[in-house]
Amino acid sequence: MDGAAVVNIIRPTGTERTFSGYATATFVPYVIAQLRHVKRVDIVWDTYKENSLKATTRSLRGAGLRQRVAPDNQLPRSWKDFLRVDQNKQELFQFLAQCVTSNDSERQVISSHGEQVLSSHPCDDTATLAH
């Protein structure tokens, strides 16, 4: 799964108040629902490198406000503006990667986490985790 695409599609519904609420009530249930059809879900998150062509393109889309992502922090009023800030997205993606790989599902979720990989269960085949 393209984690960034899912975050853009599965937005907060309005009932969640915090980032933890968004993760537990919206994002993680969406991923768990995907596990009904497969044994494993892999989530890959975008990385944002300064001085790249993509960074220049993103900067032309406008700027949002910087907001720290922490479990008890309030969700932003404008999800779209929040996602315009690369540092917001980086923190959100790492937070969601930790949340989704901490689930109690019997099936496996593997997620990129910056330059590392997280797994909800021990992996039998480390070759499948190669970048």
Side-chain angles (χ1 to χ4, degrees):
M1 298 174 75
D2 179 340
V6 173
V7 165
N8 277 286
I9 295 167
I10 309 299
R11 296 170 182 249
T13 63
T15 58
E16 311 94 338
R17 300 284 179 232
T18 63
F19 285 102
S20 180
Y22 169 69
T24 58
T26 304
F27 185 81
V28 172
Y30 175 82
V31 174
I32 298 301
Q34 306 311 305
L35 285 168
R36 283 185 269 176
H37 310 290
V38 296
K39 293 180 182 178
R40 179 176 120 183
V41 168
D42 293 25
I43 303 173
V44 179
W45 300 97
D46 291 348
T47 57
Y48 299 94
K49 300 181 187 221
E50 293 182 36
N51 302 321
S52 70
L53 181 58
K54 288 184 90 173
T56 303
T57 302
R58 281 191 305 275
S59 70
L60 297 174
R61 294 183 191 141
L65 294 174
R66 171 74 178 110
Q67 182 173 341
R68 292 215 21 112
V69 175
D72 294 330
N73 285 3
Q74 295 290 314
L75 288 173
R77 289 188 179 142
S78 172
W79 194 246
K80 182 179 176 182
D81 288 343
F82 171 77
L83 293 176
R84 285 187 174 150
V85 178
D86 289 350
Q87 196 170 1
N88 290 348
K89 289 185 284 191
Q90 287 176 317
E91 283 185 6
L92 178 65
F93 297 167
Q94 290 195 6
F95 174 72
L96 292 174
Q98 291 172 332
C99 291
V100 78
T101 56
S102 299
N103 77 71
D104 293 330
S105 173
E106 293 178 15
R107 305 209 177 199
Q108 188 172 37
V109 177
I110 295 176
S111 177
S112 63
H113 185 262
E115 297 295 322
Q116 299 178 344
V117 176
L118 301 177
S119 177
S120 60
H121 301 291
C123 295
D124 294 333
D125 183 7
T126 56
T128 61
L129 299 179
H131 290 107

